[in-house]
Amino acid sequence: MFSKETIQKFQNTSTPFYYYDIELLRKTLEALKKESDKYGYVVHYAMKANANDEILRVIKSFGLGADCVSGNEIKKASEHEFEHIFFAGVGKSDEEINTALDRNITCFNCESLQEIEVIDELAKKKNKIAQIAFRINPNVNAHTHKYITTGLEENKFGINLWELEDVVMRTQQLKNIKIVGIHFHIGSQITDLSAFKSLCMKVNEIQNWFASHNVPLEIINVGGGLGVDYHEPNKNPIPDFESFFKLFKDFLEIRPNQKVHFEIGRAIVAQCGSLISKVLYVKKGVSTSFVILDAGMTELIRPALYQSYHKIENLTPSPLPRERGDSQQAGGVRYDVVGPICESSDCFGKAMMLPETKRGDLVAIRTTGAYGEVMASQYNLREKVKAVYSE
Ligand code: LLP
């Protein structure tokens, strides 16, 4: 929801841009801390969701760790002085591993024996011991979009259960590696919490296996994935962290000296961001009308890539009486809302209900704080997208 003053500010700013509501970000972080601190859980921010410096500054001030997936994310996390840095990713390059070793990160989340052997070799050259967690593929269905499901055997991520024994035994022989934990991540935008319950059950079994093989673990990292409400951002601006963390408290069996870690991205930043754009043209098609925006898939690729829904609001509704037409229904007109890029997939939503819309109107594409700005590209030699902050 935007105040009159905010909309006025938008009108004097060139579009498109991301707008970040910093107060909402703070409230979200307060809620997250309140619920996770109840159980002594350690939360890392999955920086891939949004690596904007202003956003990182706010998140860092709440004492979260950083979950990084590239050498550059590690550099950024250490510039911002995040306390703990974890390094995940199925394809860590030698250069990135060296960056991580030089910065003495807390833990490498490792996805194969070959990767662990490379880390061992590079750590040896630097006379260092690298702490690692095994990223294990638990084969748990997250019931989310197939492109953002990661914990099934068919996915490229993690060490499969049947190879675990061999990987652990061989890792124990490496001199420059210290095993500190196990790591899981089953997917993203998970709204059915029962998927996390299934994960807990799997982790309990796997923990028994490690205990029976006398491999001590300090870090039980259950990843991220908590979903947000894309349909009703005003009703549910802050995710239900209470139920989320309580579920782990209820179902995850923890041994003495173990800490539970999370890597949360979307749930922290999604709702605080909106992509603000101006209507360039309204064009009548054969069966529908198009609203053509000055923002496109170059600024927000999620609808084109995952067919994801984002609520779209016209912030400057027409003062004129509405045109009558077949597509008109109570409360508005249905439009296909599209961008200016030369691709048919450059579409933010089909048959979206909006008040009658005209050239020059301002539009907000909601819930775009996560995987929005970070996934922007300069395809068609577009300008780099700008950001504006509430404070
Ligand atoms: N940990 C690992 C190992 C991950 O791969 C991810 C996300 C996270 C944590 C954070 O997950 P979150 O809490 O944000 O769900 N671009 C896609 C989402 C890709 C997620 C990739 N991994 C989208 O726009 O929906």
Side-chain angles (χ1 to χ4, degrees), residues 305-348:
L305 197 56
Y306 317 113
Q307 299 80 47
S308 60
Y309 173 87
H310 287 267
K311 190 177 164 78
I312 300 179
E313 286 170 5
N314 186 334
L315 304 179
T316 42
S318 172
L320 301 169
R322 291 197 186 109
E323 218 177 81
R324 293 218 67 83
D326 289 347
S327 56
Q328 185 170 345
Q329 308 206 349
V333 182
R334 290 203 182 272
Y335 295 102
D336 285 4
V337 181
V338 303
I341 308 301
C342 304
E343 299 268 350
S344 297
S345 59
D346 185 26
C347 176
F348 291 117

mmCIF file of all heavy atoms in Angstrom, residues 305-348:
data_model
loop_
_atom_site.group_PDB
_atom_site.id
_atom_site.type_symbol
_atom_site.label_atom_id
_atom_site.label_comp_id
_atom_site.label_asym_id
_atom_site.label_seq_id
_atom_site.Cartn_x
_atom_site.Cartn_y
_atom_site.Cartn_z
ATOM 1 N N LEU A 305 9.887 -16.374 -16.830
ATOM 2 C CA LEU A 305 10.666 -17.589 -16.569
ATOM 3 C C LEU A 305 9.874 -18.667 -15.835
ATOM 4 O O LEU A 305 10.029 -19.855 -16.110
ATOM 5 C CB LEU A 305 11.908 -17.198 -15.754
ATOM 6 C CG LEU A 305 13.065 -18.167 -15.678
ATOM 7 C CD1 LEU A 305 13.559 -18.542 -17.067
ATOM 8 C CD2 LEU A 305 14.219 -17.533 -14.896
ATOM 9 N N TYR A 306 9.054 -18.261 -14.885
ATOM 10 C CA TYR A 306 8.334 -19.261 -14.068
ATOM 11 C C TYR A 306 6.819 -19.136 -14.183
ATOM 12 O O TYR A 306 6.093 -19.727 -13.398
ATOM 13 C CB TYR A 306 8.674 -19.118 -12.580
ATOM 14 C CG TYR A 306 10.122 -18.893 -12.250
ATOM 15 C CD1 TYR A 306 10.539 -17.682 -11.698
ATOM 16 C CD2 TYR A 306 11.073 -19.886 -12.447
ATOM 17 C CE1 TYR A 306 11.866 -17.468 -11.369
ATOM 18 C CE2 TYR A 306 12.401 -19.677 -12.112
ATOM 19 C CZ TYR A 306 12.784 -18.472 -11.574
ATOM 20 O OH TYR A 306 14.091 -18.248 -11.239
ATOM 21 N N GLN A 307 6.348 -18.302 -15.091
ATOM 22 C CA GLN A 307 4.915 -18.012 -15.174
ATOM 23 C C GLN A 307 4.391 -17.588 -13.794
ATOM 24 O O GLN A 307 3.299 -17.963 -13.370
ATOM 25 C CB GLN A 307 4.096 -19.219 -15.666
ATOM 26 C CG GLN A 307 4.432 -19.717 -17.052
ATOM 27 C CD GLN A 307 5.682 -20.606 -17.052
ATOM 28 O OE1 GLN A 307 5.817 -21.497 -16.225
ATOM 29 N NE2 GLN A 307 6.583 -20.356 -17.973
ATOM 30 N N SER A 308 5.189 -16.844 -13.071
ATOM 31 C CA SER A 308 4.792 -16.499 -11.707
ATOM 32 C C SER A 308 3.821 -15.323 -11.705
ATOM 33 O O SER A 308 3.863 -14.461 -12.588
ATOM 34 C CB SER A 308 6.018 -16.144 -10.887
ATOM 35 O OG SER A 308 6.649 -15.047 -11.477
ATOM 36 N N TYR A 309 2.950 -15.320 -10.713
ATOM 37 C CA TYR A 309 1.958 -14.254 -10.577
ATOM 38 C C TYR A 309 2.494 -13.142 -9.686
ATOM 39 O O TYR A 309 3.054 -13.416 -8.614
ATOM 40 C CB TYR A 309 0.662 -14.823 -9.962
ATOM 41 C CG TYR A 309 -0.350 -13.749 -9.638
ATOM 42 C CD1 TYR A 309 -1.252 -13.305 -10.598
ATOM 43 C CD2 TYR A 309 -0.378 -13.154 -8.373
ATOM 44 C CE1 TYR A 309 -2.167 -12.294 -10.311
ATOM 45 C CE2 TYR A 309 -1.295 -12.151 -8.078
ATOM 46 C CZ TYR A 309 -2.180 -11.725 -9.047
ATOM 47 O OH TYR A 309 -3.077 -10.731 -8.762
ATOM 48 N N HIS A 310 2.331 -11.907 -10.125
ATOM 49 C CA HIS A 310 2.585 -10.746 -9.267
ATOM 50 C C HIS A 310 1.368 -9.847 -9.352
ATOM 51 O O HIS A 310 0.878 -9.569 -10.459
ATOM 52 C CB HIS A 310 3.814 -9.962 -9.755
ATOM 53 C CG HIS A 310 5.109 -10.658 -9.485
ATOM 54 N ND1 HIS A 310 5.855 -10.438 -8.356
ATOM 55 C CD2 HIS A 310 5.770 -11.607 -10.185
ATOM 56 C CE1 HIS A 310 6.933 -11.199 -8.379
ATOM 57 N NE2 HIS A 310 6.908 -11.933 -9.480
ATOM 58 N N LYS A 311 0.920 -9.384 -8.208
ATOM 59 C CA LYS A 311 -0.220 -8.476 -8.202
ATOM 60 C C LYS A 311 0.205 -7.149 -8.862
ATOM 61 O O LYS A 311 1.302 -6.656 -8.607
ATOM 62 C CB LYS A 311 -0.641 -8.232 -6.750
ATOM 63 C CG LYS A 311 -1.949 -7.502 -6.580
ATOM 64 C CD LYS A 311 -2.256 -7.409 -5.077
ATOM 65 C CE LYS A 311 -3.320 -6.391 -4.797
ATOM 66 N NZ LYS A 311 -4.672 -6.832 -5.073
ATOM 67 N N ILE A 312 -0.664 -6.638 -9.720
ATOM 68 C CA ILE A 312 -0.362 -5.367 -10.389
ATOM 69 C C ILE A 312 -1.412 -4.339 -9.988
ATOM 70 O O ILE A 312 -2.618 -4.629 -10.010
ATOM 71 C CB ILE A 312 -0.336 -5.550 -11.925
ATOM 72 C CG1 ILE A 312 0.750 -6.577 -12.291
ATOM 73 C CG2 ILE A 312 -0.074 -4.212 -12.621
ATOM 74 C CD1 ILE A 312 0.869 -6.862 -13.771
ATOM 75 N N GLU A 313 -0.945 -3.164 -9.592
ATOM 76 C CA GLU A 313 -1.874 -2.106 -9.177
ATOM 77 C C GLU A 313 -1.646 -0.856 -10.014
ATOM 78 O O GLU A 313 -0.497 -0.475 -10.242
ATOM 79 C CB GLU A 313 -1.610 -1.729 -7.705
ATOM 80 C CG GLU A 313 -2.090 -2.759 -6.728
ATOM 81 C CD GLU A 313 -1.599 -2.485 -5.308
ATOM 82 O OE1 GLU A 313 -0.954 -1.432 -5.068
ATOM 83 O OE2 GLU A 313 -1.846 -3.342 -4.451
ATOM 84 N N ASN A 314 -2.736 -0.238 -10.422
ATOM 85 C CA ASN A 314 -2.624 1.066 -11.068
ATOM 86 C C ASN A 314 -2.686 2.110 -9.965
ATOM 87 O O ASN A 314 -3.659 2.195 -9.216
ATOM 88 C CB ASN A 314 -3.779 1.265 -12.059
ATOM 89 C CG ASN A 314 -3.617 2.551 -12.850
ATOM 90 O OD1 ASN A 314 -2.974 3.499 -12.397
ATOM 91 N ND2 ASN A 314 -4.204 2.588 -14.032
ATOM 92 N N LEU A 315 -1.625 2.884 -9.822
ATOM 93 C CA LEU A 315 -1.561 3.857 -8.725
ATOM 94 C C LEU A 315 -2.212 5.183 -9.080
ATOM 95 O O LEU A 315 -2.393 6.034 -8.227
ATOM 96 C CB LEU A 315 -0.105 4.095 -8.316
ATOM 97 C CG LEU A 315 0.698 2.846 -7.909
ATOM 98 C CD1 LEU A 315 2.129 3.218 -7.558
ATOM 99 C CD2 LEU A 315 0.046 2.130 -6.740
ATOM 100 N N THR A 316 -2.541 5.370 -10.360
ATOM 101 C CA THR A 316 -3.202 6.621 -10.770
ATOM 102 C C THR A 316 -4.452 6.301 -11.582
ATOM 103 O O THR A 316 -4.455 6.451 -12.811
ATOM 104 C CB THR A 316 -2.278 7.507 -11.631
ATOM 105 O OG1 THR A 316 -1.583 6.670 -12.552
ATOM 106 C CG2 THR A 316 -1.318 8.309 -10.839
ATOM 107 N N PRO A 317 -5.504 5.841 -10.927
ATOM 108 C CA PRO A 317 -6.709 5.457 -11.673
ATOM 109 C C PRO A 317 -7.326 6.646 -12.407
ATOM 110 O O PRO A 317 -7.194 7.781 -11.967
ATOM 111 C CB PRO A 317 -7.662 4.954 -10.589
ATOM 112 C CG PRO A 317 -6.892 4.905 -9.334
ATOM 113 C CD PRO A 317 -5.663 5.725 -9.491
ATOM 114 N N SER A 318 -7.945 6.318 -13.499
ATOM 115 C CA SER A 318 -8.515 7.349 -14.352
ATOM 116 C C SER A 318 -9.671 8.080 -13.664
ATOM 117 O O SER A 318 -10.567 7.452 -13.112
ATOM 118 C CB SER A 318 -9.030 6.687 -15.622
ATOM 119 O OG SER A 318 -9.735 7.631 -16.370
ATOM 120 N N PRO A 319 -9.681 9.420 -13.724
ATOM 121 C CA PRO A 319 -10.806 10.165 -13.165
ATOM 122 C C PRO A 319 -11.988 10.182 -14.142
ATOM 123 O O PRO A 319 -13.080 10.579 -13.792
ATOM 124 C CB PRO A 319 -10.232 11.580 -12.999
ATOM 125 C CG PRO A 319 -9.141 11.671 -14.017
ATOM 126 C CD PRO A 319 -8.639 10.288 -14.288
ATOM 127 N N LEU A 320 -11.741 9.737 -15.389
ATOM 128 C CA LEU A 320 -12.793 9.788 -16.417
ATOM 129 C C LEU A 320 -13.754 8.619 -16.261
ATOM 130 O O LEU A 320 -13.372 7.570 -15.761
ATOM 131 C CB LEU A 320 -12.144 9.695 -17.812
ATOM 132 C CG LEU A 320 -11.129 10.782 -18.142
ATOM 133 C CD1 LEU A 320 -10.388 10.420 -19.417
ATOM 134 C CD2 LEU A 320 -11.811 12.126 -18.262
ATOM 135 N N PRO A 321 -15.013 8.803 -16.731
ATOM 136 C CA PRO A 321 -15.936 7.673 -16.683
ATOM 137 C C PRO A 321 -15.393 6.532 -17.544
ATOM 138 O O PRO A 321 -14.761 6.776 -18.577
ATOM 139 C CB PRO A 321 -17.232 8.231 -17.273
ATOM 140 C CG PRO A 321 -16.903 9.563 -17.828
ATOM 141 C CD PRO A 321 -15.581 10.002 -17.315
ATOM 142 N N ARG A 322 -15.619 5.307 -17.121
ATOM 143 C CA ARG A 322 -15.032 4.174 -17.840
ATOM 144 C C ARG A 322 -15.705 3.906 -19.165
ATOM 145 O O ARG A 322 -16.909 4.009 -19.305
ATOM 146 C CB ARG A 322 -15.122 2.932 -16.966
ATOM 147 C CG ARG A 322 -14.208 3.047 -15.780
ATOM 148 C CD ARG A 322 -14.007 1.674 -15.183
ATOM 149 N NE ARG A 322 -13.234 1.876 -13.980
ATOM 150 C CZ ARG A 322 -13.718 1.735 -12.755
ATOM 151 N NH1 ARG A 322 -14.952 1.344 -12.585
ATOM 152 N NH2 ARG A 322 -12.969 1.962 -11.723
ATOM 153 N N GLU A 323 -14.889 3.538 -20.121
ATOM 154 C CA GLU A 323 -15.374 3.129 -21.431
ATOM 155 C C GLU A 323 -16.122 1.804 -21.262
ATOM 156 O O GLU A 323 -15.693 0.956 -20.493
ATOM 157 C CB GLU A 323 -14.125 2.836 -22.270
ATOM 158 C CG GLU A 323 -14.194 3.238 -23.693
ATOM 159 C CD GLU A 323 -12.849 2.932 -24.336
ATOM 160 O OE1 GLU A 323 -12.645 1.765 -24.686
ATOM 161 O OE2 GLU A 323 -12.017 3.866 -24.435
ATOM 162 N N ARG A 324 -17.213 1.627 -21.991
ATOM 163 C CA ARG A 324 -17.883 0.328 -21.884
ATOM 164 C C ARG A 324 -17.309 -0.605 -22.951
ATOM 165 O O ARG A 324 -17.020 -0.200 -24.065
ATOM 166 C CB ARG A 324 -19.390 0.472 -22.098
ATOM 167 C CG ARG A 324 -20.048 1.252 -20.966
ATOM 168 C CD ARG A 324 -21.418 0.662 -20.635
ATOM 169 N NE ARG A 324 -21.327 -0.671 -20.060
ATOM 170 C CZ ARG A 324 -21.098 -0.897 -18.776
ATOM 171 N NH1 ARG A 324 -20.908 0.085 -17.949
ATOM 172 N NH2 ARG A 324 -21.064 -2.117 -18.325
ATOM 173 N N GLY A 325 -17.132 -1.830 -22.598
ATOM 174 C CA GLY A 325 -16.614 -2.781 -23.580
ATOM 175 C C GLY A 325 -16.897 -4.177 -23.101
ATOM 176 O O GLY A 325 -17.207 -4.362 -21.927
ATOM 177 N N ASP A 326 -16.745 -5.165 -23.982
ATOM 178 C CA ASP A 326 -17.032 -6.549 -23.605
ATOM 179 C C ASP A 326 -16.163 -7.016 -22.456
ATOM 180 O O ASP A 326 -16.577 -7.810 -21.627
ATOM 181 C CB ASP A 326 -16.791 -7.482 -24.805
ATOM 182 C CG ASP A 326 -17.872 -7.263 -25.850
ATOM 183 O OD1 ASP A 326 -18.874 -6.603 -25.507
ATOM 184 O OD2 ASP A 326 -17.692 -7.731 -26.995
ATOM 185 N N SER A 327 -14.909 -6.519 -22.483
ATOM 186 C CA SER A 327 -13.977 -7.015 -21.477
ATOM 187 C C SER A 327 -14.217 -6.366 -20.116
ATOM 188 O O SER A 327 -13.645 -6.772 -19.122
ATOM 189 C CB SER A 327 -12.553 -6.735 -21.931
ATOM 190 O OG SER A 327 -12.422 -5.355 -22.167
ATOM 191 N N GLN A 328 -15.085 -5.358 -20.105
ATOM 192 C CA GLN A 328 -15.264 -4.656 -18.831
ATOM 193 C C GLN A 328 -16.121 -5.469 -17.860
ATOM 194 O O GLN A 328 -17.122 -6.055 -18.225
ATOM 195 C CB GLN A 328 -15.913 -3.304 -19.065
ATOM 196 C CG GLN A 328 -16.002 -2.525 -17.776
ATOM 197 C CD GLN A 328 -16.411 -1.096 -17.998
ATOM 198 O OE1 GLN A 328 -16.376 -0.594 -19.109
ATOM 199 N NE2 GLN A 328 -16.809 -0.455 -16.935
ATOM 200 N N GLN A 329 -15.687 -5.525 -16.629
ATOM 201 C CA GLN A 329 -16.440 -6.232 -15.607
ATOM 202 C C GLN A 329 -16.541 -5.293 -14.413
ATOM 203 O O GLN A 329 -15.877 -4.268 -14.382
ATOM 204 C CB GLN A 329 -15.691 -7.486 -15.193
ATOM 205 C CG GLN A 329 -15.327 -8.320 -16.396
ATOM 206 C CD GLN A 329 -15.183 -9.771 -16.044
ATOM 207 O OE1 GLN A 329 -15.152 -10.125 -14.872
ATOM 208 N NE2 GLN A 329 -15.125 -10.601 -17.056
ATOM 209 N N ALA A 330 -17.354 -5.696 -13.460
ATOM 210 C CA ALA A 330 -17.515 -4.852 -12.283
ATOM 211 C C ALA A 330 -16.150 -4.545 -11.695
ATOM 212 O O ALA A 330 -15.348 -5.431 -11.486
ATOM 213 C CB ALA A 330 -18.364 -5.588 -11.265
ATOM 214 N N GLY A 331 -15.870 -3.274 -11.472
ATOM 215 C CA GLY A 331 -14.635 -2.906 -10.801
ATOM 216 C C GLY A 331 -13.444 -2.712 -11.712
ATOM 217 O O GLY A 331 -12.381 -2.363 -11.249
ATOM 218 N N GLY A 332 -13.564 -2.938 -13.007
ATOM 219 C CA GLY A 332 -12.393 -2.697 -13.842
ATOM 220 C C GLY A 332 -12.459 -3.323 -15.216
ATOM 221 O O GLY A 332 -13.508 -3.750 -15.676
ATOM 222 N N VAL A 333 -11.309 -3.339 -15.852
ATOM 223 C CA VAL A 333 -11.183 -3.855 -17.220
ATOM 224 C C VAL A 333 -10.069 -4.906 -17.184
ATOM 225 O O VAL A 333 -9.131 -4.774 -16.407
ATOM 226 C CB VAL A 333 -10.778 -2.702 -18.178
ATOM 227 C CG1 VAL A 333 -10.686 -3.191 -19.613
ATOM 228 C CG2 VAL A 333 -11.744 -1.532 -18.061
ATOM 229 N N ARG A 334 -10.216 -5.923 -18.024
ATOM 230 C CA ARG A 334 -9.138 -6.923 -18.074
ATOM 231 C C ARG A 334 -8.129 -6.551 -19.163
ATOM 232 O O ARG A 334 -8.511 -6.266 -20.290
ATOM 233 C CB ARG A 334 -9.715 -8.316 -18.340
ATOM 234 C CG ARG A 334 -10.495 -8.812 -17.146
ATOM 235 C CD ARG A 334 -10.610 -10.319 -17.123
ATOM 236 N NE ARG A 334 -11.401 -10.710 -15.970
ATOM 237 C CZ ARG A 334 -10.897 -10.938 -14.756
ATOM 238 N NH1 ARG A 334 -9.596 -10.852 -14.559
ATOM 239 N NH2 ARG A 334 -11.683 -11.278 -13.754
ATOM 240 N N TYR A 335 -6.871 -6.571 -18.780
ATOM 241 C CA TYR A 335 -5.791 -6.237 -19.722
ATOM 242 C C TYR A 335 -4.710 -7.311 -19.662
ATOM 243 O O TYR A 335 -4.471 -7.890 -18.607
ATOM 244 C CB TYR A 335 -5.090 -4.935 -19.304
ATOM 245 C CG TYR A 335 -5.929 -3.687 -19.349
ATOM 246 C CD1 TYR A 335 -6.455 -3.151 -18.175
ATOM 247 C CD2 TYR A 335 -6.139 -3.009 -20.551
ATOM 248 C CE1 TYR A 335 -7.194 -1.973 -18.195
ATOM 249 C CE2 TYR A 335 -6.881 -1.823 -20.579
ATOM 250 C CZ TYR A 335 -7.403 -1.313 -19.403
ATOM 251 O OH TYR A 335 -8.114 -0.149 -19.420
ATOM 252 N N ASP A 336 -4.019 -7.484 -20.774
ATOM 253 C CA ASP A 336 -2.745 -8.198 -20.736
ATOM 254 C C ASP A 336 -1.696 -7.128 -20.471
ATOM 255 O O ASP A 336 -1.602 -6.153 -21.230
ATOM 256 C CB ASP A 336 -2.450 -8.891 -22.072
ATOM 257 C CG ASP A 336 -3.304 -10.147 -22.249
ATOM 258 O OD1 ASP A 336 -4.163 -10.414 -21.379
ATOM 259 O OD2 ASP A 336 -3.111 -10.849 -23.261
ATOM 260 N N VAL A 337 -0.957 -7.282 -19.382
ATOM 261 C CA VAL A 337 0.035 -6.265 -19.020
ATOM 262 C C VAL A 337 1.393 -6.751 -19.508
ATOM 263 O O VAL A 337 1.870 -7.809 -19.076
ATOM 264 C CB VAL A 337 0.034 -6.026 -17.494
ATOM 265 C CG1 VAL A 337 1.051 -4.946 -17.132
ATOM 266 C CG2 VAL A 337 -1.362 -5.628 -17.014
ATOM 267 N N VAL A 338 1.975 -6.016 -20.428
ATOM 268 C CA VAL A 338 3.198 -6.480 -21.084
ATOM 269 C C VAL A 338 4.300 -5.421 -21.014
ATOM 270 O O VAL A 338 4.044 -4.263 -20.689
ATOM 271 C CB VAL A 338 2.933 -6.854 -22.571
ATOM 272 C CG1 VAL A 338 1.848 -7.910 -22.692
ATOM 273 C CG2 VAL A 338 2.532 -5.611 -23.384
ATOM 274 N N GLY A 339 5.529 -5.858 -21.336
ATOM 275 C CA GLY A 339 6.669 -4.943 -21.360
ATOM 276 C C GLY A 339 7.047 -4.591 -22.793
ATOM 277 O O GLY A 339 6.412 -5.060 -23.740
ATOM 278 N N PRO A 340 8.112 -3.812 -22.952
ATOM 279 C CA PRO A 340 8.496 -3.317 -24.283
ATOM 280 C C PRO A 340 9.498 -4.207 -25.023
ATOM 281 O O PRO A 340 9.914 -3.865 -26.128
ATOM 282 C CB PRO A 340 9.144 -1.971 -23.945
ATOM 283 C CG PRO A 340 9.764 -2.188 -22.610
ATOM 284 C CD PRO A 340 8.916 -3.190 -21.889
ATOM 285 N N ILE A 341 9.907 -5.323 -24.410
ATOM 286 C CA ILE A 341 10.988 -6.144 -24.981
ATOM 287 C C ILE A 341 10.470 -6.978 -26.151
ATOM 288 O O ILE A 341 9.322 -7.434 -26.139
ATOM 289 C CB ILE A 341 11.572 -7.069 -23.875
ATOM 290 C CG1 ILE A 341 11.952 -6.272 -22.627
ATOM 291 C CG2 ILE A 341 12.763 -7.869 -24.387
ATOM 292 C CD1 ILE A 341 12.972 -5.182 -22.831
ATOM 293 N N CYS A 342 11.341 -7.199 -27.129
ATOM 294 C CA CYS A 342 10.937 -7.927 -28.341
ATOM 295 C C CYS A 342 10.887 -9.429 -28.097
ATOM 296 O O CYS A 342 11.695 -10.184 -28.663
ATOM 297 C CB CYS A 342 11.890 -7.600 -29.474
ATOM 298 S SG CYS A 342 11.979 -5.853 -29.768
ATOM 299 N N GLU A 343 10.015 -9.859 -27.230
ATOM 300 C CA GLU A 343 9.829 -11.275 -26.898
ATOM 301 C C GLU A 343 8.377 -11.429 -26.492
ATOM 302 O O GLU A 343 7.880 -10.651 -25.669
ATOM 303 C CB GLU A 343 10.666 -11.670 -25.666
ATOM 304 C CG GLU A 343 12.149 -11.505 -25.789
ATOM 305 C CD GLU A 343 12.865 -12.749 -26.277
ATOM 306 O OE1 GLU A 343 12.241 -13.825 -26.356
ATOM 307 O OE2 GLU A 343 14.049 -12.617 -26.602
ATOM 308 N N SER A 344 7.713 -12.446 -27.009
ATOM 309 C CA SER A 344 6.305 -12.632 -26.616
ATOM 310 C C SER A 344 6.163 -13.004 -25.150
ATOM 311 O O SER A 344 5.126 -12.774 -24.533
ATOM 312 C CB SER A 344 5.667 -13.718 -27.462
ATOM 313 O OG SER A 344 5.675 -13.292 -28.795
ATOM 314 N N SER A 345 7.206 -13.600 -24.586
ATOM 315 C CA SER A 345 7.118 -13.972 -23.168
ATOM 316 C C SER A 345 7.266 -12.756 -22.256
ATOM 317 O O SER A 345 7.173 -12.886 -21.032
ATOM 318 C CB SER A 345 8.176 -15.016 -22.831
ATOM 319 O OG SER A 345 9.447 -14.498 -23.122
ATOM 320 N N ASP A 346 7.497 -11.584 -22.817
ATOM 321 C CA ASP A 346 7.638 -10.372 -22.004
ATOM 322 C C ASP A 346 6.255 -9.893 -21.570
ATOM 323 O O ASP A 346 5.742 -8.875 -22.048
ATOM 324 C CB ASP A 346 8.355 -9.287 -22.818
ATOM 325 C CG ASP A 346 8.632 -8.046 -21.984
ATOM 326 O OD1 ASP A 346 8.745 -8.188 -20.751
ATOM 327 O OD2 ASP A 346 8.727 -6.948 -22.557
ATOM 328 N N CYS A 347 5.654 -10.673 -20.685
ATOM 329 C CA CYS A 347 4.281 -10.409 -20.266
ATOM 330 C C CYS A 347 4.198 -10.579 -18.750
ATOM 331 O O CYS A 347 4.647 -11.585 -18.222
ATOM 332 C CB CYS A 347 3.370 -11.425 -20.974
ATOM 333 S SG CYS A 347 1.661 -11.308 -20.466
ATOM 334 N N PHE A 348 3.672 -9.581 -18.071
ATOM 335 C CA PHE A 348 3.589 -9.632 -16.605
ATOM 336 C C PHE A 348 2.316 -10.290 -16.121
ATOM 337 O O PHE A 348 2.194 -10.659 -14.960
ATOM 338 C CB PHE A 348 3.693 -8.226 -16.005
ATOM 339 C CG PHE A 348 5.053 -7.616 -16.161
ATOM 340 C CD1 PHE A 348 5.236 -6.466 -16.907
ATOM 341 C CD2 PHE A 348 6.158 -8.204 -15.569
ATOM 342 C CE1 PHE A 348 6.501 -5.897 -17.042
ATOM 343 C CE2 PHE A 348 7.422 -7.651 -15.694
ATOM 344 C CZ PHE A 348 7.597 -6.493 -16.445
#
